């Protein structure tokens, strides 16, 4: 089975050339990974856009790049996207929990540019991101900005915008699970990635309760991602759940673990 990781980061202090990520990928037959940076307020050890570009350039056959921006507070967001698009980046990563609603019309010019460049948008969804080293968010951080329901309008206004909602669409916050399933089921252009340690348990809860949903989760709307330097850990965590979700259908399993990512990354 071919595997592509749609949610990976660079770690310039821990892994300056990406070799540790590659070692884990090779050990678990992961063919390719999307590497993204973070704002410095979010992480002291995950790299920024320049770190991402440097590491992707070292392994262009194994890594694709995603540029991290804030579509509201970054005055040069469009120029930043164009710069990294010219460097071969495929994705725009955004953290709404840092002070903007994803359906705010102020963000629309950025979304229009993403579509114009045939990139895709990947959003952090769910609990507010914290600075990983200090454990504390800045004052503006709040999960109210990135609740999964905030993407429903976006799906209607931009049906051609390719959207990935990270961390099982915030379904790791289990009281949002029905909201996640509804948003994903209602919009052909919205996908969920399986990154983070809680996405697997959230998927397992859905599997136990899916008969209660008027609109079930389409298995082909999931994309596998690790969000972990040791990507094999997440692969082992998610494989059994994905097999249950798909009824063991090999085509659907392949779609989740590589097919959707291949299309988004144009591999």
């Amino acid at each position: 089975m071919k595997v592509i990781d749609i949610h990976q980061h660079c770690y310039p202090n821990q892994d300056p050339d990406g070799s540790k990520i590659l070692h884990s990928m090779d050990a678990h037959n992961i063919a390719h990974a999307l590497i993204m940076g973070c704002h410095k307020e979010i992480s002291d050890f995950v790299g920024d856009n320049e770190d991402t570009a440097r590491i992707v350039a070292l392994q262009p056959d194994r890594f694709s790049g995603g540029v991290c921006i804030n579509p509201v507070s970054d005055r040069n967001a469009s120029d930043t996207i164009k710069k990294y698009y010219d460097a071969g980046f495929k994705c725009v990563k955004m953290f709404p929990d840092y002070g903007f609603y994803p359906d705010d019309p102020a963000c629309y010019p950025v979304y229009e540019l993403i579509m114009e460049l045939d990139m895709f948008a990947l959003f952090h969804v769910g609990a507010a991101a914290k600075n990983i080293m200090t454990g504390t968010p800045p004052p503006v951080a709040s999960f109210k900005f990135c609740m999964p329901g905030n993407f429903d309008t976006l799906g209607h206004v931009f049906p051609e915008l390719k959207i990935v909602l990270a961390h099982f669409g915030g379904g790791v916050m289990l009281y949002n699970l029905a909201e996640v399933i509804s948003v994903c089921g209602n919009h052909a252009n919205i996908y969920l990635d399986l990154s983070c340690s809680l996405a697997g348990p959230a998927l397992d809860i859905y599997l136990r309760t899916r008969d209660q949903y008027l609109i079930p989760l389409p298995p082909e709307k999931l994309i596998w991602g690790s969000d972990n330097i040791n990507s094999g850990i997440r692969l082992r965590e998610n494989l059994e759940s994905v097999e249950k979700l798909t009824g063991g259908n090999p085509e659907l399993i392949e779609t989740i673990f590589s097919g959707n990512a291949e299309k988004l990354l144009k591999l």
Side-chain angles (χ1 to χ4, degrees):
M1 178 181 70
K2 187 174 184 179
V3 181
I4 295 172
D5 187 348
I6 201 70
H7 195 128
Q8 185 57 272
H9 294 290
C10 60
Y11 308 90
N13 296 327
Q14 186 179 0
D15 186 21
D17 59 359
S19 59
K20 291 183 179 179
I21 295 174
L22 276 175
H23 176 75
S24 180
M25 290 170 63
D26 289 340
H28 298 92
N29 297 313
I30 298 171
H32 199 87
L34 173 66
I35 308 292
M36 298 170 287
C38 286
H39 304 296
K40 290 299 184 183
E41 295 85 356
I42 296 173
S43 172
D44 288 335
F45 71 89
V46 172
D48 59 16
N49 290 327
E50 282 300 291
D51 293 316
T52 302
R54 178 178 53 79
I55 290 175
V56 168
L58 293 174
Q59 297 287 343
D61 294 334
R62 303 294 301 279
F63 295 153
S64 292
V67 53
C68 181
I69 59 102
N70 183 316
V72 175
S73 66
D74 294 352
R75 295 182 178 180
N76 299 317
S78 293
D79 290 339
T80 300
I81 292 170
K82 291 175 184 176
K83 171 184 174 180
Y84 289 98
Y85 169 79
D86 289 341
F89 280 30
K90 310 289 183 66
C91 164
V92 179
K93 174 69 179 290
M94 289 167 275
F95 290 84
D97 47 319
Y98 272 64
F100 69 92
Y101 288 101
D103 56 358
D104 184 341
C107 303
Y108 287 5
V110 164
Y111 302 151
E112 290 165 355
L113 176 62
I114 293 171
M115 290 190 295
E116 178 186 331
L117 298 176
D118 195 24
M119 301 174 79
F120 67 96
L122 195 154
F123 292 91
H124 174 86
V125 190
K130 297 178 179 180
N131 184 301
I132 299 173
M133 294 301 289
T134 65
T136 56
V140 73
S142 173
F143 66 81
K144 71 178 182 180
F145 294 109
C146 54
M147 299 284 275
N150 292 337
F151 294 89
D152 187 49
T153 298
L154 198 60
H156 289 299
V157 176
F158 294 102
E160 303 302 319
L161 176 65
K162 293 171 285 189
I163 299 170
V164 178
L165 306 184
H167 317 312
F168 203 60
V172 296
M173 302 169 68
L174 295 179
Y175 56 86
N176 284 337
L177 193 55
E179 196 174 327
V180 171
I181 303 307
S182 177
V183 169
C184 185
N186 272 323
H187 298 286
N189 59 322
I190 295 181
Y191 298 82
L192 312 178
D193 84 24
L194 283 169
S195 63
C196 102
S197 60
L198 294 177
L203 178 57
D204 290 337
I205 290 173
Y206 169 72
L207 288 171
R208 295 197 298 269
T209 60
R210 56 182 162 179
D211 291 341
Q212 303 174 20
Y213 291 93
L214 182 63
I215 301 175
L217 173 65
E220 63 273 18
K221 301 295 288 299
L222 289 182
I223 310 178
W224 183 75
S226 69
D227 199 17
N228 192 302
I229 192 169
N230 185 353
S231 46
I233 292 175
R234 298 283 188 264
L235 190 59
R236 291 192 297 271
E237 289 175 348
N238 297 146
L239 186 55
E240 183 177 351
S241 298
V242 168
E243 289 176 342
K244 289 180 181 177
L245 178 69
T246 61
N249 183 312
E251 291 185 5
L252 279 178
I253 293 172
E254 188 92 4
T255 294
I256 292 169
F257 280 104
S258 63
N260 284 331
E262 279 187 311
K263 291 177 183 177
L264 290 171
L265 295 170
K266 299 191 284 283
L267 297 176

